[in-house]
Amino acid sequence: MSNPEFVYTTYIETSAEKLWHALTDGDFTERYWFGHRVTSDWKVGSPYRFTHPERPSPSGKVLISDPPRKLAYTWEACSDELKHERISRVTFDLESRGNIVKLTVRHDNLDEGGKTFLGISEGWPMVIASLKSILETGRPLPSDLKSSSQKEETDA
């Protein structure tokens, strides 16, 4: 039995420094991460926490902080129904390619068949698409994106 991992790669027209800032600044994350605000000093071993006024949010510890190239942190359960699942890991690799940055997000150390894997498989693409949109156009994806896609599925 192998543990699943989620890997998502995209290319964003921005600088690695701006992308790093977007990943680590609470004012910025709140804009593209659908209201989730991150706080940390981003030193290895330090805690980080996402907060949202209406939803449970992940927290954990910083594992790697190498601005503006690599960021990794643990991902701890953000709701009571996920408390039994193992602590997983998120890694962001930023590779500058001229005026483009290749961003690879890897979320691993997940439980096979776990709800965390199912949730992040839908969540990460939306978050990263919104991040890409805000960095390239100045506008994040609409905050009701998730509810709109769920509505379309029920209307079909």
Side-chain angles (χ1 to χ4, degrees):
M1 229 190 238
S2 65
N3 294 325
E5 69 177 8
F6 178 86
V7 179
Y8 189 91
T9 300
T10 192
Y11 296 82
I12 303 174
E13 189 171 4
T14 192
S15 69
E17 291 77 14
K18 286 180 183 174
L19 180 51
W20 181 270
H21 176 77
L23 292 170
T24 60
D25 180 78
D27 289 336
F28 214 102
T29 62
E30 194 170 31
R31 292 175 60 205
Y32 71 83
W33 204 310
F34 307 101
H36 291 271
R37 180 182 187 82
V38 72
T39 55
S40 181
D41 65 10
W42 301 109
K43 295 178 182 171
V44 173
S46 290
Y48 81 90
R49 173 172 288 290
F50 279 94
T51 55
H52 188 282
E54 299 169 5
R55 297 183 201 139
S57 301
S59 62
K61 292 194 182 200
V62 178
L63 301 171
I64 300 169
S65 184
D66 182 16
R69 290 178 288 284
K70 188 171 198 146
L71 176 66
Y73 47 73
T74 61
W75 181 277
E76 296 183 29
C78 56
S79 69
D80 287 339
E81 79 176 302
L82 301 175
K83 290 282 184 201
H84 68 279
E85 292 192 25
R86 76 173 79 194
I87 295 172
S88 56
R89 176 180 51 222
V90 178
T91 304
F92 300 91
D93 285 304
L94 292 69
E95 297 176 39
S96 291
R97 297 185 175 191
N99 64 343
I100 304 260
V101 178
K102 177 183 176 186
L103 173 64
T104 302
V105 180
R106 179 179 311 277
H107 196 142
D108 58 8
N109 199 37
L110 294 154
D111 285 337
E112 187 168 352
K115 290 185 178 185
T116 298
F117 180 73
L118 295 174
I120 60 118
S121 293
E122 181 179 318
W124 277 124
M126 287 192 308
V127 168
I128 300 306
S130 189
L131 169 63
K132 177 178 171 62
S133 179
I134 199 169
L135 286 169
E136 292 181 343
T137 70
R139 295 179 316 275
L141 296 179
S143 61
D144 64 347
L145 175 68
K146 189 170 186 177
S147 60
S148 294
S149 66
Q150 288 172 341
K151 184 177 186 294
E152 289 172 10
E153 289 173 9
T154 58
D155 290 344

